[in-house]
Amino acid sequence: MSEAGIVIVGAGQGGFQAAASLRDSGYQGRLVLVGDEPGLPYQRPPLSKAYMKGEAGIEQIELRAGAFYADHRIELVNARAAAIDRAGQRLLLGRGEALPYAHLILATGARNRPLPVPGHDLAGVFYLRTRADADALRGRLDEARRVVVIGAGFIGLEFAAVARALGHEVTVLEGASRVLARAVSPEMSAFFADAHAAMGTRLRLGAGVIGLQGRDGHVTGVETTDGAVHPADFVLVGIGVVPNVELAAKAGLEVANGIVVDAHLATADPAISALGDAVAYPSRFAAKDGPVMVRLESVQNAADQARSLAHRLTGKLSPTGEPAPFDAVPWFWSDQADLKLQMVGLAGATDAAVLRGDPASRRFSVFRFRDGVLTAIESVNRGADHMLGRRLLAGTPALTPAQAGDEGFELKSLLAR
Ligand SMILES: Cc1cc2nc3c(=O)[nH]c(=O)nc-3n(C[C@H](O)[C@H](O)[C@H](O)COP(=O)(O)OP(=O)(O)OC[C@H]3O[C@@H](n4cnc5c(N)ncnc54)[C@H](O)[C@@H]3O)c2cc1C
């Protein structure tokens, strides 16, 4: 029988990083990375940025070249994991094989939330999560003239910026009253709404989509709650994702908006851990009265969780002699045309916002506070604020709202103490 080592399900950002970090941390046993997408593991962020624009090819977005996996004795298995036999510690693959494991890592990520309206299956309607999605829509985008983007989240707005740059007519439809509503302050939403309007994009807020219209099986328009029909020969749906939890749920593991893990990324089964977009974990950054469960969708979250887990599984201990819980400061970025948005921390919807710098200069930050305590920083083209924010938020930031708004106040001075 083959050696039972560490088996990782999901060869995306988090699964790849877990494999690489396990080897970096000295793990010597068998290491198998099971993924259901074809080809080598790759980065998703360029799919809506450089890869979409045609400025980066497949080699540029692959996380490592093929030789890396052989050199590090990482077995890449292109298959779908169908079930977990917890009693027998075996992962069952869809093609009938079983992989024994000493430890199993679930890094199954998330998939696109489907648009639940009539006409969703017309030709010309696309989603963007995988390289296959990107290749399919890039092939059709060239022929399109009127592009409608459904959803003004990060992927929708990044795609809209690229489509405008390529010369398409672009309409963005958003059911909420502001763009990026789940992620940023109202001030930042207003800035990005204006920026997209200045690029020539038509933005319709409060415009819920109720149906797609078509002719001869191809999309021709998008109907919204206000009775309008927005002509379209190409539609990109970006209305969020759902975590891939079914494998865990079927195996009897707890699932609640993600595979539930503890502060060490462990499930209730000591032989199974989970990480990345698929998991809900306790974060101290989300509330001031103690950790609350969150599910984050970012490269940083998946990669830092993978590193943390690799340390635990290889017995690396914190200075206290215990395995360290996962406690990295959450951060994220998004590129839209010449605007680089960087976010650090986790703000609640009602957290107060303080501006530092002038949005008209297209270089400014919004500092978010809850009960006078810094919770998050959103920066546009102002990387220094973001980098300082990562260090400030890792500790207990003493920054006051007045200091944040005073450009004469040196943020760095708080670190020196
Ligand atoms: C277009 C786009 C742009 C993005 N831009 C940014 C950005 O600018 N900044 C940022 O921080 N984040 C960005 N993200 C988000 C980021 O890519 C994700 O947060 C990150 O990839 C999560 O890593 P993960 O390993 O948890 O999941 P994924 O990278 O999604 O990997 C999960 C993998 O598991 C596979 N899988 C699932 N179930 C099974 C199974 N049963 N058997 C085998 N394989 C399975 C999936 O097919 C997938 O390949 C972007 C995402 C997209 C789609």
Side-chain angles (χ1 to χ4, degrees):
M1 181 156 159
S2 55
E3 180 193 338
I6 297 180
V7 173
I8 303 169
V9 186
Q13 191 82 46
F16 160 79
Q17 190 61 57
S21 295
L22 279 163
R23 287 295 186 230
D24 281 352
S25 302
Y27 173 69
Q28 295 293 334
R30 186 176 181 202
L31 189 47
V32 186
L33 185 52
V34 179
D36 61 358
E37 290 188 66
L40 295 174
Y42 62 92
Q43 311 166 58
R44 295 186 199 285
L47 297 181
S48 51
K49 307 176 183 79
Y51 189 75
M52 183 59 55
K53 277 189 246 169
E55 291 169 359
I58 288 175
E59 292 75 28
Q60 281 85 46
I61 72 167
E62 282 168 355
L63 283 153
R64 292 289 184 284
F68 174 87
Y69 300 92
D71 292 349
H72 289 77
R73 291 183 297 114
I74 298 169
E75 296 171 44
L76 282 179
V77 173
N78 182 216
R80 183 151 182 88
I84 305 166
D85 166 13
R86 283 173 58 189
Q89 298 205 181
R90 297 180 317 151
L91 179 74
L92 309 178
L93 303 184
R95 62 191 190 201
E97 231 170 281
L99 287 171
Y101 63 80
H103 199 90
L104 180 69
I105 300 175
L106 301 178
T108 46
R111 60 181 180 274
N112 291 310
R113 183 184 299 284
L115 185 68
V117 301
H120 65 90
D121 49 357
L122 286 164
V125 179
F126 296 92
Y127 291 80
L128 181 52
R129 175 79 195 175
T130 64
R131 195 172 69 201
D133 291 339
D135 291 343
L137 72 80
R138 265 177 62 187
R140 296 295 299 277
L141 186 59
D142 289 347
E143 301 152 22
R145 193 167 64 83
R146 290 169 306 187
V147 171
V148 171
V149 176
I150 301 178
F154 288 114
I155 289 177
L157 291 186
E158 289 183 0
F159 178 79
V162 171
R164 272 306 294 149
L166 295 175
H168 300 286
E169 257 177 45
V170 180
T171 301
V172 176
L173 304 175
E174 169 57 57
S177 58
R178 60 186 179 95
V179 307
L180 304 174
R182 277 195 310 134
V184 302
S185 60
E187 289 75 1
M188 193 55 84
S189 291
F191 173 80
F192 272 93
D194 289 349
H196 281 272
M199 290 174 213
T201 292
R202 290 171 66 228
L203 179 62
R204 295 292 174 266
L205 299 173
V209 169
I210 54 176
L212 304 187
Q213 299 181 348
R215 194 182 315 119
D216 302 330
H218 197 281
V219 71
T220 55
V222 182
E223 200 181 340
T224 45
T225 38
D226 52 6
V229 176
H230 307 269
D233 36 44
F234 183 106
V235 171
L236 189 275
V237 182
I239 57 169
V241 296
V242 285
N244 291 323
V245 299
E246 289 74 9
L247 195 60
K250 211 163 75 175
L253 297 171
E254 189 186 351
V255 161
N257 181 34
I259 304 167
V260 173
V261 293
D262 67 12
H264 295 276
L265 307 170
T267 69
D269 183 331
I272 306 180
S273 303
L275 58 86
D277 281 15
V279 310
Y281 76 97
S283 169
R284 73 178 166 96
F285 296 99
K288 75 170 190 245
D289 303 325
V292 296
M293 298 301 280
V294 298
R295 192 179 65 74
L296 302 180
E297 295 158 13
S298 75
V299 166
Q300 171 275 326
N301 184 61
D304 280 348
Q305 287 189 339
R307 291 184 191 100
S308 172
L309 181 58
H311 285 170
R312 171 163 69 82
L313 295 180
T314 53
K316 293 225 163 15
L317 304 177
S318 74
T320 63
E322 298 289 319
F326 174 68
D327 192 38
V329 184
W331 58 264
F332 183 81
W333 82 96
S334 171
D335 296 324
Q336 297 171 39
D338 61 338
L339 302 170
K340 178 174 273 302
L341 170 65
Q342 291 168 294
M343 295 158 44
V344 56
L346 294 180
T350 56
D351 290 3
V354 175
L355 268 177
R356 187 173 176 91
D358 181 5
S361 69
R362 298 164 74 81
R363 232 187 123 257
F364 70 104
S365 295
V366 176
F367 285 64
R368 310 287 305 273
F369 290 87
R370 191 179 311 140
D371 301 330
V373 177
L374 183 69
T375 54
I377 305 173
E378 303 159 357
S379 305
V380 171
N381 295 343
R382 212 163 138 132
D385 286 359
H386 175 76
M387 295 311 290
L388 274 164
R390 286 198 210 173
R391 295 171 64 190
L392 280 175
L393 282 158
T396 311
L399 183 73
T400 67
Q403 289 168 340
D406 173 7
E407 287 220 71
F409 178 79
E410 283 274 358
L411 297 174
K412 252 191 271 176
S413 67
L414 293 172
L415 294 173
R417 282 182 206 163

